[in-house]
Amino acid sequence: MPRSFPLELIRNIAIIAHIDAGKTTTTERILYYTGRTYKIGNVDEGTTVMDFMQQERERGITIKAAATTTSWGKYRVNIIDTPGHVDFTAEVERSLRVLDGGVVVLDAVQGVEAQSETVWRQADKYHVPRICFINKMDRTGANFDRTIEMIKDRLMAIPIVVQLPLGAEEYFEGIIDLLTEKAWRFSNDPDKLPDEVAIPESMIEKVKQARHAMIERIGESDDHIMEAYLAGAEISIAEIKAGLRNVTVANKCVPVLCGSSLKNKGVQALLDAVVDYLPSPLDMPVLYAINSDNSEKVACPPQDDSPFIALAFKVVTDPYMGRLVYLRVYSGTLETGATILNSTRNKKERIGRIVLMHANRREEINDADTGGIIAILGLKETFTGDTLCSPAKPIVLESIRFPEPVISVAIEPKTRADQEKLGEALRKMSDEDPTFKVDYNDETAQMVISGMGELHLDVIISRMLTEFGVNAKVGNPQVAYKETITQAADVEGRFVRQSGGHGQFGHVEVLFEPLEPGKGFEFVEAIKGGIIPRKFIGPTEAGIKEAMLGGSLAGYPLVDIKATLHDGSYHDVDSSDLAFKMAGSLALKEGARKGKPVLLEPIMKLEIMTPEQFLGDIIGDLNSRRGHIENIETRNAMCTIHGFVPLASTFGYSTVIRSLTQGRANYSMEFNVYQQVPGATAEEIVSKGKGNG
């Protein structure tokens, strides 16, 4: 069957950035200029195509990553517009896992902000080539050169400037293309083509220097360009483009463009850069999977005639169509009605309908090719991170890892009718969002939901009412504390029961040691001479892991512990899996008690932008919250405070900072690390934890 689109002409890209940098506004202009929409949506008016959820339009922010497919010239461009708020970082994570390139939108006034750094690190993790678009060049305080320096300093990247702004702030008119050495002036009318104008006399020398710097920077990673540059030979625009594409795809450098999406300036040139410099699926390194039968690595080349393999990266409950599973097809083709294997769960699934998504609208298709971003209806057993493949060749791709939730609230239905709907609503939303967890606390008989922040849980609760019609009562937010040990403890776990007939006997000796923060749990089996049969090693480890769910201080989960099983004994008749599981559990409890346990709390990285006149009040408030200020930057009577603060001290902070600054400051937070809670505070938390138990 012929391809619907040549593979080399496909671009799969994410639009990523800090909140309010202009991602959705940029995406809306891209859809307009590519002919996907006939009217430009506006974030402030709640008329955007990509932010289609009620909560997104009410708040003016992106909450869910939205996918769309469009064309620019002869190229097909699959776009995912991602959220900028840290509470929805999982949406960025899963998008970057399956895409080939990224457009990083930066605010020309604020430069590189906290969440810009986070999404940049996520893109680094998945080796995603990027281009930068410095947006909002028309805003007061816009500074192109400063933003370039911040890309170098904060993102540790090598920017290659390919455009200079024509004017700035209220006098921003357009762009100067360094490849062609032409200046283009845009009008605010989106339907009017830009006019070529003469480069201002005052900028001719700067343009020459910037063009030389661009070619020199490309030449540092491209021998052909460097030889021509050193020889003083003429380098054609096609050669410069080819060299720039090579260094971008290789993740050595980042082309930088500029414009103003809101004023319709520079977006067409951005689209040209997407197709010119970002990779097609053919340009990406060959993907490897694991053979389910023999655990060997298997290459999955991007070819239609190779066995089918795809990764499920998103699950959505559509009110009209039911359960939609988004896939990235890495190899092979897929047709409606085909039977495929979910190799992650070893279950066969039948393909119901295949659709191309355009935000919340769908275009039905009969088949999908390699390199496609599609959604499937009819998959009942497939979840985020699962591999789908040909039943004849079962292979598994690396799944997607997500951060653990840091905040929890108790929730209960208001009426009996709500009780029946609550469980179904929570199940569907936890299917959609891997960072949203639902647990039942046996001790307090409460349903507990956990997420990445107050806004995350606020949106979940709002969706329960608007989408699922569930009224619920919500408790106060609770921090996801953890416990760990601070010194080694060599302990014994002995489980012996006699009840007539066969008894139970399990005996282990385990050395528990603290690990570095963030290491989780490590189990080492150091049994010699078969003093414990191998069949009882696994149950012992399982017992230790199970007991780690509740620590000895206040019942919070234990983390960062190494357990070395080095001795013990067994009984020929009475020993069993259960006995050794219980022995492992008892050993952990004793080890936690003797290992000088401490309480850990999540510490958030905080960035506050405030007018200078409110700086003292904000610093005083942060000190009262156990905050630590790392540094303060001052520019144009605006201050940016970088620091750290315990999550427990941040509840309701948005209201406080508004009242301290007459609503003129804003801030962003992201999880940074777990740290030990100071003594007096820890005692208070422990007493509360035991009281709740």
Side-chain angles (χ1 to χ4, degrees):
M1 185 182 295
R3 282 189 61 86
S4 59
F5 227 88
L7 199 54
E8 65 272 15
L9 300 183
I10 290 177
R11 300 291 182 269
N12 292 318
I13 64 165
I15 311 290
I16 55 178
H18 186 90
I19 192 168
D20 283 341
K23 294 178 305 303
T24 301
T25 301
T26 302
T27 308
E28 292 294 321
R29 268 54 181 185
I30 287 173
L31 296 182
Y32 183 77
Y33 285 120
T34 57
R36 199 67 173 86
T37 56
Y38 65 91
K39 185 181 177 185
I40 296 176
N42 187 295
V43 172
D44 294 332
E45 294 170 8
T47 57
T48 59
V49 171
M50 303 304 275
D51 284 355
F52 57 85
M53 286 174 63
Q54 181 180 328
Q55 288 80 8
E56 291 177 316
R57 292 186 166 178
E58 286 173 355
R59 299 165 192 269
I61 62 169
T62 302
I63 292 169
K64 278 187 178 181
T68 189
T69 299
T70 189
S71 299
W72 183 243
K74 61 183 180 179
Y75 293 86
R76 168 173 283 182
V77 186
N78 296 317
I79 303 170
I80 297 184
D81 176 33
T82 65
H85 196 286
V86 68
D87 280 17
F88 310 106
T89 190
E91 295 288 325
V92 183
E93 188 84 15
R94 58 173 151 205
S95 299
L96 289 172
R97 170 67 173 82
V98 298
L99 295 174
D100 304 325
V103 175
V104 183
V105 182
L106 299 172
D107 184 328
V109 181
Q110 301 296 344
V112 175
E113 299 171 88
Q115 188 66 4
S116 308
E117 295 181 59
T118 302
V119 297
W120 194 272
R121 287 196 302 270
Q122 288 172 303
D124 280 342
K125 175 178 166 184
Y126 295 113
H127 310 292
V128 175
R130 279 143 276 174
I131 57 180
C132 285
F133 180 65
I134 300 179
N135 190 26
K136 303 189 180 183
M137 282 302 305
D138 59 311
R139 294 274 299 277
T140 302
N143 190 323
F144 181 80
D145 293 333
R146 174 178 170 270
T147 305
I148 296 294
E149 289 305 311
M150 292 178 81
I151 292 172
K152 295 177 189 173
D153 298 339
R154 286 205 183 179
L155 303 181
M156 310 299 286
I158 301 174
I160 297 184
V161 176
V162 296
Q163 293 175 354
L164 289 177
L166 186 62
E169 300 183 326
E170 62 182 301
Y171 301 109
F172 177 68
E173 295 182 296
I175 57 172
I176 301 171
D177 186 333
L178 296 181
L179 276 80
T180 60
E181 294 183 277
K182 291 181 178 179
W184 299 94
R185 179 191 290 138
F186 294 81
S187 77
N188 289 341
D189 181 352
D191 296 318
K192 191 174 179 186
L193 291 172
D195 297 318
E196 185 181 345
V197 296
I199 296 173
E201 287 282 337
S202 60
M203 289 196 69
I204 289 175
E205 190 57 37
K206 183 175 182 180
V207 169
K208 281 184 179 175
Q209 290 175 1
R211 193 172 193 272
H212 279 301
M214 173 186 71
I215 294 171
E216 193 174 338
R217 187 57 54 81
I218 297 169
E220 288 172 3
S221 301
D222 189 299
D223 293 340
H224 173 71
I225 298 286
M226 183 54 81
E227 286 170 14
Y229 177 72
L230 292 175
E234 185 67 32
I235 305 170
S236 70
I237 292 171
E239 288 175 310
I240 297 173
K241 275 190 176 180
L244 187 51
R245 177 178 176 76
N246 289 339
V247 297
T248 304
V249 170
N251 256 320
K252 293 178 179 175
C253 302
V254 183
V256 182
L257 299 89
C258 60
S260 168
S261 297
L262 187 65
K263 299 293 175 61
N264 312 303
K265 295 176 181 176
V267 178
Q268 297 100 318
L270 173 62
L271 276 162
D272 288 337
V274 165
V275 300
D276 285 343
Y277 308 131
L278 290 180
S280 77
L282 290 174
D283 297 315
M284 299 301 287
V286 173
L287 187 72
Y288 284 90
I290 301 297
N291 187 311
S292 300
D293 295 329
N294 55 24
S295 299
E296 291 181 356
K297 285 176 76 174
V298 180
C300 304
Q303 297 168 351
D304 289 338
D305 55 2
S306 293
F308 172 74
I309 186 162
L311 186 73
F313 66 94
K314 185 176 172 71
V315 177
V316 173
T317 303
D318 187 286
Y320 304 107
M321 299 185 73
R323 196 171 187 269
L324 277 167
V325 179
Y326 286 69
L327 301 182
R328 161 68 192 265
V329 182
Y330 285 105
S331 186
T333 59
L334 186 65
E335 293 182 9
T336 302
T339 298
I340 54 173
L341 175 69
N342 180 331
S343 52
T344 306
R345 302 177 191 275
N346 197 28
K347 292 187 177 178
K348 288 190 175 179
E349 294 262 45
R350 188 176 181 277
I351 302 300
R353 291 153 68 189
I354 306 174
V355 293
L356 288 177
M357 296 302 297
H358 179 48
N360 62 335
R361 298 197 292 277
R362 296 153 295 276
E363 175 190 331
E364 198 153 336
I365 55 176
N366 295 320
D367 51 71
D369 309 317
T370 298
I373 303 283
I374 57 170
I376 306 285
L377 286 110
L379 301 181
K380 295 181 174 63
E381 303 286 347
T382 299
F383 298 88
T384 299
D386 287 359
T387 301
L388 297 173
C389 64
S390 166
K393 192 175 182 183
I395 50 180
V396 181
L397 294 167
E398 183 183 352
S399 190
I400 310 172
R401 294 186 178 89
F402 295 100
E404 286 295 311
V406 295
I407 182 172
S408 305
V409 295
I411 188 167
E412 61 182 58
K414 283 189 175 178
T415 67
R416 188 177 292 277
D418 290 319
Q419 187 165 4
E420 294 173 8
K421 293 186 284 186
L422 177 64
E424 180 71 5
L426 293 177
R427 182 186 64 77
K428 286 180 177 178
M429 285 191 287
S430 60
D431 277 0
E432 289 184 13
D433 185 351
T435 59
F436 172 59
K437 306 284 188 200
V438 182
D439 292 299
Y440 185 77
N441 188 321
D442 291 319
E443 292 181 350
T444 59
Q446 282 182 317
M447 184 84 75
V448 177
I449 59 174
S450 306
M452 300 304 296
E454 283 187 281
L455 178 61
H456 187 197
L457 292 183
D458 191 28
V459 167
I460 291 281
I461 291 156
S462 172
R463 285 186 63 199
M464 281 199 309
L465 180 61
T466 57
E467 289 181 35
F468 301 97
V470 180
N471 282 289
K473 291 185 281 188
V474 181
N476 292 324
Q478 301 293 320
V479 176
Y481 292 106
K482 296 186 188 298
E483 299 179 20
T484 192
I485 58 173
T486 56
Q487 70 176 30
D490 200 348
V491 298
E492 183 179 62
R494 182 185 291 271
F495 183 73
V496 182
R497 292 286 185 275
Q498 289 295 344
S499 55
H502 283 319
Q504 295 282 0
F505 182 90
H507 169 224
V508 295
E509 291 186 22
V510 186
L511 172 64
F512 291 101
E513 298 169 278
L515 284 175
E516 291 175 32
K519 290 291 186 182
F521 172 66
E522 186 181 327
F523 180 79
V524 178
E525 185 256 301
I527 294 296
K528 293 178 181 168
I531 50 176
I532 296 177
R534 295 202 63 79
K535 64 180 179 179
F536 295 138
I537 305 295
T540 303
E541 181 182 359
I544 292 171
K545 280 183 177 177
E546 197 172 288
M548 285 177 68
L549 296 174
S552 61
L553 276 177
Y556 294 111
L558 279 152
V559 293
D560 304 331
I561 289 178
K562 178 181 178 181
T564 304
L565 174 62
H566 62 86
D567 205 349
S569 60
Y570 75 103
H571 189 278
D572 286 332
V573 177
D574 290 349
S575 286
S576 65
D577 288 359
L578 176 63
F580 273 89
K581 186 177 180 183
M582 292 301 297
S585 177
L586 292 168
L588 184 281
K589 287 173 181 172
E590 182 67 7
R593 192 179 62 79
K594 287 188 172 178
K596 288 201 174 174
V598 293
L599 200 63
L600 303 174
E601 65 178 341
I603 303 296
M604 310 301 284
K605 186 178 179 183
L606 180 69
E607 188 174 282
I608 304 170
M609 282 72 74
T610 176
E612 198 168 2
Q613 68 199 81
F614 305 114
L615 185 62
D617 291 338
I618 288 178
I619 290 174
D621 180 70
L622 276 178
N623 289 335
S624 72
R625 294 171 185 271
R626 295 193 286 128
H628 164 68
I629 294 169
E630 193 175 40
N631 64 61
I632 300 170
E633 298 173 4
T634 305
R635 183 176 57 88
N636 297 338
M638 287 293 289
C639 295
T640 303
I641 304 167
H642 302 274
F644 302 92
V645 64
L647 175 65
S649 304
T650 65
F651 297 141
Y653 189 56
S654 55
T655 306
V656 172
I657 201 166
R658 276 199 297 268
S659 64
L660 284 175
T661 64
Q662 299 166 16
R664 293 173 62 192
N666 59 69
Y667 74 99
S668 64
M669 280 193 307
E670 63 177 88
F671 170 73
N672 185 57
V673 71
Y674 268 91
Q675 278 183 0
Q676 186 173 334
V677 182
T681 309
E683 286 173 19
E684 187 181 330
I685 295 166
V686 168
S687 64
K688 279 184 186 173
K690 288 183 174 173
N692 291 337

